[in-house]
Amino acid sequence: DLGALALDPLRAQIHGSQDHQRVAQALFKAGQALMDRGDVAREHGRPDLGRQLDDRARERLLRAIDELKPLLDRAEPPFDALFYLGRCRELLFRFSERHEGLSLSASPRDYQQREQEVRDPFLRISARDVVKVGERGEAAVLGSWGQAAQTAMEHLRWMNLHAGYDARAAIEALSWPGADDR
């Protein structure tokens, strides 16, 4: 049922590695894949399996954040480390919404604080990745990392506003002329 992602050989494979970025990236990808599989399990009517997979994903995401700490403690952390930090926090934010009751209506202060924690790494990237353009460098535009960070923040905003939309319900609510005649 759980497949290869639930087998936990992760610790043995990454223990002792000095490449914090690569380890964090592997942990993030494993966490993201587990959350995706949890969504699929819930869609197939297996909420208990979905919760189990989400719990395993949460564990990996927290370990990924811990693995990034040496990189993030630098004066100017690398953009990719900041980006993975933001993505890990975003998935943990979604976990809290799904399983810990985090919502804007129930606790606006906590919700907004957690949302800001997700945005912070992306804002740090956007503030640093600025490229001067023009003949004399008079205009500043975002570099590729800054654009990616802006896109990630816009995606977070959009999901927070529209995640409850279900197109199937709207389509099923439509009535067609002559539909009852069949």
Side-chain angles (χ1 to χ4, degrees):
D1 241 5
L2 297 178
L5 285 175
L7 289 177
D8 293 330
L10 213 43
R11 188 167 306 185
Q13 291 177 0
I14 64 175
H15 183 69
S17 174
Q18 297 301 316
D19 190 350
H20 298 289
Q21 179 68 38
R22 184 167 287 174
V23 171
Q25 182 178 355
L27 288 166
F28 166 75
K29 287 182 178 183
Q32 185 178 35
L34 285 166
M35 288 194 85
D36 290 344
R37 290 184 70 187
D39 288 340
V40 170
R42 277 185 290 284
E43 287 175 9
H44 289 111
R46 309 258 332 260
D48 55 329
L49 178 61
R51 174 60 192 240
Q52 214 176 25
L53 290 165
D54 284 353
D55 286 339
R56 290 173 184 261
R58 182 180 181 276
E59 174 188 317
R60 285 177 181 62
L61 294 168
L62 290 172
R63 288 180 59 203
I65 290 172
D66 287 342
E67 193 65 36
L68 287 170
K69 284 184 182 173
L71 300 171
L72 299 171
D73 288 340
R74 297 179 185 169
E76 288 193 0
F79 292 141
D80 48 355
L82 287 169
F83 199 84
Y84 275 111
L85 175 64
R87 292 288 290 133
C88 287
R89 286 181 178 175
E90 181 181 359
L91 290 176
L92 290 169
F93 181 82
R94 299 292 173 225
F95 177 89
S96 294
E97 283 182 317
R98 183 175 294 129
H99 299 294
E100 297 172 346
L102 181 67
S103 75
L104 186 58
S105 59
S107 56
R109 184 173 187 231
D110 292 338
Y111 186 89
Q112 290 171 346
Q113 181 180 4
R114 289 283 304 275
E115 191 177 35
Q116 187 59 40
E117 286 175 7
V118 173
R119 275 197 203 101
D120 281 342
F122 299 125
L123 289 171
R124 289 174 65 187
I125 292 170
S126 297
R128 281 185 30 217
D129 190 26
V130 178
V131 179
K132 302 286 185 186
V133 294
E135 291 179 18
R136 291 177 275 172
E138 64 272 359
V141 297
L142 289 174
S144 57
W145 280 104
Q147 290 174 2
Q150 287 293 326
T151 302
M153 286 189 297
E154 180 58 25
H155 177 261
L156 175 71
R157 187 193 69 76
W158 191 92
M159 288 298 293
N160 288 346
L161 290 174
H162 305 291
Y165 176 70
D166 184 9
R168 290 175 296 186
I171 291 171
E172 291 170 2
L174 293 174
S175 61
W176 301 97
D180 296 330
D181 296 340
R182 293 184 191 171

